[in-house]
């Protein structure tokens, strides 16, 4: 989306900062000055245990992006699509918190 809209550099830099933040938060318990008890208490679920709602939840953003890249969603709606995604993320974080992502 950002390549078509001409914002690729600023959006990529911002998304890179978000990804680095996620990586640092996930790996923070492995640092030397912290205990690794947090990592051992988490339960990781294999892919076979994914429910239909999990699959739909991960499929929707990717399919929306694909529809815009192949221009089924018109190019002029690019910024509105980004704003819609931001609104969904803010709603999810407000409703469920940030703990499920760390």
């Amino acid at each position: 989306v950002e390549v078509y809209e001409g914002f690729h550099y600023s959006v990529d830099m911002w998304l890179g900062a978000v990804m680095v933040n996620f990586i640092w938060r996930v790996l923070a318990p492995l640092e030397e000055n912290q205990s690794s008890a947090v990592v051992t208490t988490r339960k990781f679920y294999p892919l076979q245990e994914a429910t239909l709602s999990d699959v739909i939840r991960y499929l929707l953003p990717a399919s929306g992006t694909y529809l815009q890249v192949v221009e089924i969603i018109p190019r002029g709606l690019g910024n509105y699509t980004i704003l819609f995604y931001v609104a969904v993320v803010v709603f999810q974080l407000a409703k469920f918190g940030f703990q499920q992502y760390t």
Side-chain angles (χ1 to χ4, degrees), residues 2-66:
E2 63 266 14
V3 173
Y4 286 118
E5 298 302 320
F7 302 123
H8 59 90
Y9 183 74
S10 61
V11 172
D12 288 344
M13 295 301 287
W14 185 81
L15 290 176
V18 170
M19 292 303 297
V20 168
N21 184 23
F22 284 148
I23 291 170
W24 284 353
R25 284 185 163 262
V26 168
L27 298 177
L30 299 177
E31 292 182 6
E32 292 180 17
N33 60 352
Q34 295 185 7
S35 69
S36 62
V38 176
V39 175
T40 58
T41 59
R42 288 188 179 166
K43 183 176 188 311
F44 293 98
Y45 297 98
L47 190 58
Q48 293 81 9
E49 293 183 14
T51 63
L52 182 60
S53 65
D54 293 334
V55 172
I56 291 172
R57 189 178 311 144
Y58 284 101
L59 183 66
L60 282 177
S63 61
T65 304
Y66 176 76

Side-chain angles (χ1 to χ4, degrees), residues 47-101:
L47 190 58
Q48 293 81 9
E49 293 183 14
T51 63
L52 182 60
S53 65
D54 293 334
V55 172
I56 291 172
R57 189 178 311 144
Y58 284 101
L59 183 66
L60 282 177
S63 61
T65 304
Y66 176 76
L67 291 175
Q68 187 156 5
V69 168
V70 296
E71 293 188 7
I72 293 174
I73 297 175
R75 182 184 248 181
L77 297 177
N79 289 334
Y80 298 112
T81 306
I82 294 170
L83 291 175
F84 175 72
Y85 283 146
V86 168
V88 169
V89 168
V90 168
F91 173 75
Q92 290 290 323
L93 291 177
K95 185 174 180 182
F96 301 111
F98 195 75
Q99 294 300 318
Q100 64 192 18
Y101 301 109

